[in-house]
């Protein structure tokens, strides 16, 4: 038996801001027959996680930087792998049965033919909506949790700044900081997002960075006593301004460099004299290095979700056809919270 | 009783590279009478430590940045304080007697009137030459020791790069790394220094950065397997090039930013994508934060000195009049190792 399978690919490498014309939706035929005893599994995708870091895998130099960019490069006209949730439709592996709901590294397609090792977890008995496992209970949540607690080693009452604070990771880092007992200010790119940060997520304050002509002064205004912890999702001039406003022994967890992903010429030039004299610690990280604390993270986050203390922000579009616009929108700040494309009904 | 006291001061704030015309040598009269029971001490200076960081205290904005620059600003026409070794000529304090040899924070002068609290240690029974206590057994040594061991947490066999490796701190950081069992390459600004690094200090390799047109490629050549630890004394484009060549989980100890001290417009713009994907840790530090390990540092360093495994590089000029040229020379790479001005015979 064969199915028709719609697949989203890039037509060429992408060097700057992604556009619709960079993408193509192809239709292929996929055989659902598998050799029993193989470790192949065919998954019908339900929800696909849309993440900005994928742009780095789409660049032409990504193949030469494979070791650096961790994940393998994305090749034009080839399937794009990413975290997704799906339902098993055929399995050559005894570990998975038809109709199992699973989360793993699948493809930007209606159906994915994958190796069983690419399946991270079964989700048949999820207490929370399935989509939570792509964001708040998945790698975005782990990024926020590990970056804030493990890298920043916060103390109660410390002053925390989070950039892209309405994004999938930022919204969680800011809330963890608030729940932990810190003073938390976030920034975002629209007034609507600022209202949400202040009133839905309960941050102490928030501002629209697009309305600030001088980020250094803006941060001085929001942090008259200085910043102890900066959870950085954007890099660029916001990182420079934050470093200027950090307190002695301040910590910067560099989770992402959104403002530099699509502008190769753009670089943050933080004042290194500040780094020395204020003994700052600027540290990059990837959630994948913190799988050892995944159980703690899930337990803590689930507790907060049950008690209603943690708000989950999701932004879901419907249909595989929306993948290009969903991905492109990330770089224009279109999304609020975790961007997900729903591909099929469960 | 009064003595004539020659004092080196700055005439104006210094915003860029220091020049002779920025300095003045004044002669003042100093009374040697002290109120008994006061905590005042008069010290005849023997050796004065000459350190590049002092330039940051001489800038006009240093007073507004007092909290940042740690030490108080240096004011034109006022005595300049710095670490020195001297002999007590008069003491209002029972803790110190005439002729005690002491190290502490005195002034760039023949005589210093100080509070007893500014005296760090008595040196009457020093096993090593007195000058060692300004460099290898003082704060420069502690900077190298703490920066390398405490911040970088080295493992044997790791690849270590040290910039300004013939300087007071760099020459020690490089030797600690070598003695610990790392592969160590240093850079310096002349062929003579490079020879010294390779043959006197025993580094695995060394290069003259002034002869390299592309620092990134140069480091790639010297570290084909990448850099695990960068002990940074210079900042600027060397920091950028090092970050490009770091291995995953690499550590950068930022001890100084020599290339940026005299050029306020100059900034390092390390590639933050590298910082994230390679999970780099860039951390500034000051030796003063590591006084708790001072005894360990002195013990370890003294052992290495006794066994002849550690080379001490000193560059001593004679006479208080040489202070301006000694200080200015730091910014032209004139010195090899620790720069000291000898003010008087013991």
């Amino acid at each position: 038996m064969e199915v028709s399978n719609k697949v989203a690919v890039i037509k060429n490498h992408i060097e700057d801001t992604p556009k619709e014309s960079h993408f193509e939706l192809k239709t292929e035929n996929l055989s659902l027959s598998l050799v029993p005893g193989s470790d192949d599994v065919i998954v019908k995708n339900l929800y696909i996680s849309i993440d900005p870091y994928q742009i780095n895998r789409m660049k032409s130099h990504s193949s030469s930087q494979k070791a650096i960019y961790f994940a393998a490069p994305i090749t034009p006209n080839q399937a794009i792998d990413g975290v997704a949730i799906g339902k098993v439709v055929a399995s050559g592996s005894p570990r998975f049965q038809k109709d199992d709901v699973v989360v793993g590294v699948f493809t930007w397609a209606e159906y994915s033919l994958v190796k069983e090792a690419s399946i991270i977890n079964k989700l048949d008995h999820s207490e929370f909506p399935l989509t939570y496992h792509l964001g708040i209970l998945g790698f975005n949540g782990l990024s926020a949790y590990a970056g804030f607690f493990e890298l920043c080693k916060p103390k109660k009452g410390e002053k925390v700044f989070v950039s892209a604070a309405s994004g999938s990771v930022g919204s969680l880092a800011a809330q963890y900081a608030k729940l932990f007992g810190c003073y938390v200010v976030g920034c975002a790119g629209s007034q609507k997002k600022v209202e949400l940060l202040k009133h839905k997520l309960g941050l102490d304050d928030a501002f629209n960075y697009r309305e600030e002509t001088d980020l250094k002064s803006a941060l001085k205004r929001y942090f008259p006593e200085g910043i102890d912890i900066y959870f950085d999702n954007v890099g660029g001039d916001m990182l420079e301004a934050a470093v200027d406003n950090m307190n002695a022994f301040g910590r910067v967890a560099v989770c992402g460099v959104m403002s530099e992903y699509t502008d190769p010429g753009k670089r943050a030039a933080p004042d290194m004299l500040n780094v020395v004299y204020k003994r700052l610690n600027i540290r990059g990280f990837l959630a994948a290095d913190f799988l050892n604390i995944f159980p703690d993270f899930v337990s803590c986050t689930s507790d907060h979700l049950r008690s209603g203390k943690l708000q989950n922000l999701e932004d879901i579009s419907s249909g595989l056809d929306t993948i290009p616009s969903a991905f492109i929108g990330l770089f224009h700040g279109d999304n609020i919270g975790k961007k997900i494309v729903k591909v099929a009904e469960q």
Side-chain angles (χ1 to χ4, degrees), chain A:
Chain A
M1 189 189 159
E2 273 195 347
V3 289
S4 161
N5 186 27
K6 210 185 287 177
V7 183
V9 297
I10 54 169
K11 288 195 278 188
N12 308 102
H13 288 295
I14 305 176
E15 309 302 339
D16 45 21
T17 308
K19 289 185 275 293
E20 289 277 351
S21 59
H22 288 123
F23 292 88
E24 187 179 1
L25 291 158
K26 303 197 298 186
T27 302
E28 300 171 346
N29 288 327
L30 179 71
S31 164
L32 298 184
S33 316
L34 292 176
V35 179
S38 78
D39 61 356
D40 289 345
V41 179
I42 293 174
V43 172
K44 182 180 183 188
N45 291 316
L46 303 174
Y47 297 101
I48 293 175
S49 173
I50 306 294
D51 300 286
Y53 79 88
Q54 299 272 35
I55 191 73
N56 298 318
R57 301 177 61 209
M58 296 174 179
K59 294 172 184 170
S60 59
H61 72 273
S62 64
S63 50
S64 66
Q65 305 262 323
K66 189 172 171 180
I68 293 173
Y69 287 163
F70 200 67
I74 291 170
T75 308
N77 297 312
Q78 300 290 313
I80 296 168
D81 57 310
V83 177
I85 289 166
K87 192 184 245 183
V88 174
V89 292
S91 172
S93 155
R95 282 183 60 214
F96 298 99
Q97 312 301 321
K98 187 168 183 303
D99 292 338
D100 280 351
V101 178
V102 289
V103 60
V105 181
F106 309 149
T107 51
W108 288 11
E110 288 174 312
Y111 294 88
S112 303
L113 169 63
V114 297
K115 300 288 173 191
E116 62 167 40
S118 68
I119 297 174
I120 296 164
N121 263 320
K122 286 195 196 185
L123 294 177
D124 290 321
H125 303 288
S126 175
E127 175 187 352
F128 300 102
L130 285 182
T131 51
Y132 282 33
H133 298 279
L134 293 182
I136 196 166
L137 291 171
F139 268 36
N140 295 144
L142 182 60
S143 289
Y145 189 88
F148 181 64
F149 290 108
E150 299 289 311
L151 271 79
C152 298
K153 301 196 187 317
K155 292 189 265 301
K156 284 187 206 310
E158 284 195 315
K159 312 287 184 287
V160 177
F161 174 50
V162 180
S163 56
S166 69
S168 56
V169 179
S171 62
L172 299 175
Q175 289 183 88
Y176 286 130
K178 196 70 200 121
L179 288 167
F180 181 75
C182 291
Y183 178 87
V184 184
V185 177
C187 75
S190 74
Q191 198 51 39
K192 184 181 164 195
K193 290 177 179 177
V194 167
E195 294 304 315
L196 180 144
L197 294 177
K198 288 202 276 194
H199 302 119
K200 184 164 182 185
L201 302 193
L203 303 199
D204 294 289
D205 215 333
F207 66 94
N208 179 354
Y209 71 89
R210 294 183 206 262
E211 286 178 0
E212 300 291 343
T213 49
D214 178 349
L215 294 175
K216 183 175 170 179
S217 304
L219 286 177
K220 179 92 192 151
R221 226 162 54 234
Y222 286 98
F223 292 95
E225 294 169 34
I227 300 168
D228 299 304
I229 290 173
Y230 173 37
F231 194 102
D232 184 14
N233 291 301
V234 302
D237 42 8
M238 191 65 88
L239 174 58
E240 293 177 17
V243 163
D244 283 337
N245 281 281
M246 298 296 287
N247 289 328
F249 301 103
R251 291 132 275 157
V252 179
V254 190
C255 178
V257 194
M258 190 71 173
S259 78
E260 301 179 32
Y261 288 165
T262 54
D263 185 351
K266 189 166 181 183
R267 288 279 188 93
D271 184 346
M272 297 306 291
L273 266 82
N274 272 327
V275 171
V276 174
Y277 281 100
K278 299 198 288 195
R279 292 85 109 199
L280 304 184
N281 192 345
I282 301 177
R283 193 173 154 199
F285 73 103
L286 297 176
D289 298 323
F290 293 93
L291 292 176
N292 61 314
I293 60 164
F294 196 82
D296 290 344
F297 146 68
V298 168
S299 162
C300 164
T301 305
S302 299
D303 285 348
H304 285 318
L305 283 170
R306 284 184 203 108
S307 66
K309 288 181 184 162
L310 196 58
Q311 304 300 317
N312 186 34
L313 304 180
E314 288 181 342
D315 188 329
I316 304 179
S317 61
S318 280
L320 192 89
D321 298 0
T322 66
I323 281 190
S325 63
F327 183 68
I328 292 161
L330 295 175
F331 300 92
H332 299 284
D334 292 350
N335 59 307
I336 293 185
K338 177 66 192 172
K339 186 68 201 177
I340 292 170
V341 170
K342 179 178 178 176
V343 184
E345 292 292 339
Q346 187 176 351

